[in-house]
């Protein structure tokens, strides 16, 4: 089973599950027989890992249901095991096992089921934090649930999916605030290092889901998340200390570029101006500087604005700014900006 768990074949999950079933059929009925043939928690965890690694095309509803069944067997086994105080955390399903089941449902295209298991984790942990210490909510399970909705929202644009994803994002931040009030940062498994790429991706995926949702206020919603990130990055007491990077800003600008609002191009220009104000010699600020995609997207916003001569002049000015970034003698050189075919188009 370990080999199937680490194998990248799209059928590895089904093979691992088949092997588990064979092993279960060989379980001895006589307690005096060799108990080493019985699947243990590690066996079930490995099978779930293999099932979660299956490709989207191979992981259908049947496999997700099979993963659910494996998780249920783990719970049954934990109830049937004499658990002492020292082993109470190691004889139950943990957040990794649940996350694998959630991933199966995400692959199967059912984020509602993935969210169901997130809620189950939270309920079990809150019911008895000691007994279910291994189910303390963390960023990974929230990321998986959020990814399920953003995946659904980007493949089939829907404001409902964006709303569900944002609700989970807010829930994640609330959970962090609660845990921050009872534990130090160094002991809180929910907290990640500042500007952790995984956290930034979570925020970006929700914003991108809004940007592609077709909702009339999509741009406002995406920018609201951006403003929340900026505000939190300036507060020591914030639930999540993470700064938006260039890609995050670009998502919001693109949302405005696709917006039908009259002031959309002005908002895109406003965000670009904020990005340009970040100094190049500051390492943290340099990750928030505009790049070629930024300028191209703002130009796109100007084109879509039907602003006539004014928009044309502004577009030319942006092109000039991009060309100036290539001048080594310029005091505000940004080597991440270079006009391309899209710029001139």
């Amino acid at each position: 089973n370990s080999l199937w768990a680490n194998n990248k074949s799209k059928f590895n999950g089904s093979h691992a599950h088949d092997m588990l079933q064979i092993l279960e059929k060989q379980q001895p009925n006589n307690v005096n027989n060799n108990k080493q043939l019985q699947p243990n928690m590690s066996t079930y965890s490995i099978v779930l890992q293999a099932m979660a690694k299956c490709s989207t095309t191979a992981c259908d509803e049947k496999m997700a249901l099979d993963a659910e069944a494996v998780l249920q067997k783990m719970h049954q086994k934990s109830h049937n095991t004499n658990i002492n105080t020292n082993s109470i955390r190691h004889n139950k399903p943990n957040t990794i096992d649940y996350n694998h089941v959630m991933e199966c449902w995400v692959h199967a295209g059912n984020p509602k089921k993935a969210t169901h298991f997130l809620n189950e984790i939270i309920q079990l942990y809150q019911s008895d934090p000691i007994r279910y210490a291994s189910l303390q909510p963390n960023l990974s399970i929230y990321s998986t649930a959020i990814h399920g909705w953003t995946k659904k929202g980007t493949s089939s644009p829907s404001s409902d999916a964006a709303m569900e994803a944002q609700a989970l994002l807010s829930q994640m931040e609330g959970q962090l605030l609660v845990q921050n009030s009872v534990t130090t940062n160094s002991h809180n498994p929910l907290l990640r290092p500042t500007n952790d790429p995984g956290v930034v991706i979570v925020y970006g995926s929700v914003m991108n889901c809004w940007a592609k949702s077709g909702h009339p206020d999509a741009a406002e919603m995406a920018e609201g998340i951006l403003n929340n990130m900026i505000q939190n990055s300036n507060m020591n007491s914030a639930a999540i200390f993470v700064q938006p990077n260039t890609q995050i800003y670009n998502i919001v600008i693109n949302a405005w570029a696709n917006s039908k609002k009259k002031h959309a191009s002005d908002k895109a220009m406003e965000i670009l101006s904020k990005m340009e104000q970040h100094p190049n010699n500051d390492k943290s600020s340099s990750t928030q500087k505009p790049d070629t995609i930024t300028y191209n997207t703002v130009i796109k916003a100007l084109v879509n604005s039907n602003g006539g001569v004014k928009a044309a002049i502004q577009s030319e000015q942006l092109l000039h700014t991009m060309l100036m970034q290539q001048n080594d003698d310029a005091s505000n050189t940004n080597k991440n900006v270079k006009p391309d075919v899209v710029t001139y188009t």
Side-chain angles (χ1 to χ4, degrees), residues 123-162:
Q123 291 171 4
L124 287 173
Y125 178 73
Q126 291 178 345
S127 69
D128 192 338
I130 297 178
R131 183 175 180 80
Y132 294 104
S134 62
L135 292 180
Q136 185 172 17
N138 57 36
L139 282 171
S140 294
I141 60 170
Y142 276 105
S143 297
T144 300
I146 290 172
H147 173 63
W149 287 108
T150 57
K151 177 184 176 183
K152 182 181 180 69
T154 51
S155 60
S156 301
S158 165
S159 59
D160 291 339

Side-chain angles (χ1 to χ4, degrees), residues 24-283:
E24 289 174 330
K25 290 178 181 179
Q26 294 179 350
Q27 287 190 66
N29 295 322
N30 189 332
V31 294
N32 294 322
N33 289 343
N34 188 359
K35 292 185 178 181
Q36 291 182 353
L37 290 175
Q38 297 180 7
N40 55 28
M41 285 296 183
S42 296
T43 309
Y44 291 121
S45 293
I46 291 171
V47 172
L48 287 177
Q49 179 185 355
M51 298 174 84
K53 282 188 175 182
C54 69
S55 66
T56 302
T57 55
C59 194
D60 54 12
E61 183 176 347
K62 181 183 180 303
M63 182 168 293
L65 289 171
D66 287 340
E68 270 193 45
V70 172
L71 182 65
Q72 184 60 34
K73 290 175 183 178
M74 296 179 75
H75 276 295
Q76 292 173 349
K77 192 173 186 64
S78 69
H79 290 318
N80 297 332
T81 303
N82 292 325
I83 303 175
N84 56 44
T85 304
N86 294 328
S87 63
I88 192 169
R89 297 188 180 192
H90 306 290
N91 288 280
K92 293 182 177 299
N94 56 34
T95 52
I96 297 176
D97 301 318
Y98 266 88
N99 199 38
H100 289 328
V101 176
M102 292 168 63
E103 287 175 325
C104 286
W105 278 116
V106 170
H107 291 324
N110 194 331
K112 187 174 182 179
K113 287 288 292 186
T115 305
H116 164 78
F117 283 98
L118 167 64
N119 292 331
E120 183 173 309
I121 292 172
I122 295 172
Q123 291 171 4
L124 287 173
Y125 178 73
Q126 291 178 345
S127 69
D128 192 338
I130 297 178
R131 183 175 180 80
Y132 294 104
S134 62
L135 292 180
Q136 185 172 17
N138 57 36
L139 282 171
S140 294
I141 60 170
Y142 276 105
S143 297
T144 300
I146 290 172
H147 173 63
W149 287 108
T150 57
K151 177 184 176 183
K152 182 181 180 69
T154 51
S155 60
S156 301
S158 165
S159 59
D160 291 339
M163 289 178 182
E164 292 285 354
Q166 178 144 7
L168 286 174
L169 184 65
S170 298
Q171 181 179 329
M172 180 181 76
E173 292 177 330
Q175 186 74 28
L176 282 166
L177 283 173
V178 171
Q179 292 195 203
N180 279 352
S181 66
V182 296
T183 185
T184 61
N185 292 357
S186 59
H187 297 348
N188 188 342
L190 266 171
L191 288 181
R192 303 284 287 277
T194 302
N195 295 334
D196 182 280
V199 183
V200 177
I201 289 174
V202 171
Y203 277 87
S205 66
V206 178
M207 296 161 71
N208 193 46
C209 190
W210 273 116
K212 296 183 178 181
S213 68
H215 192 280
D217 296 325
E220 285 91 343
M221 299 301 293
E223 187 172 1
I225 297 175
L226 170 63
N227 291 335
N228 189 43
M229 292 179 71
I230 295 173
Q231 182 179 2
N232 286 342
S233 68
N234 295 324
M235 294 173 57
N236 293 329
S237 60
I240 300 178
F241 184 81
V242 55
Q243 292 179 326
N245 58 23
T246 301
Q247 289 69 36
I248 293 293
Y249 281 102
N250 288 348
I251 291 172
V252 180
I253 293 175
N254 188 53
W256 279 116
N258 294 325
S259 174
K260 303 298 183 181
K261 300 292 179 70
K262 292 182 179 180
H263 63 292
S265 61
D266 293 334
K267 295 293 294 185
M269 289 287 288
E270 179 183 319
I271 296 172
L272 171 62
S273 178
K274 290 180 180 178
M275 296 176 71
E276 290 176 329
Q277 291 173 14
H278 293 296
N280 283 323
N281 57 0
D282 185 336
K283 185 176 181 180

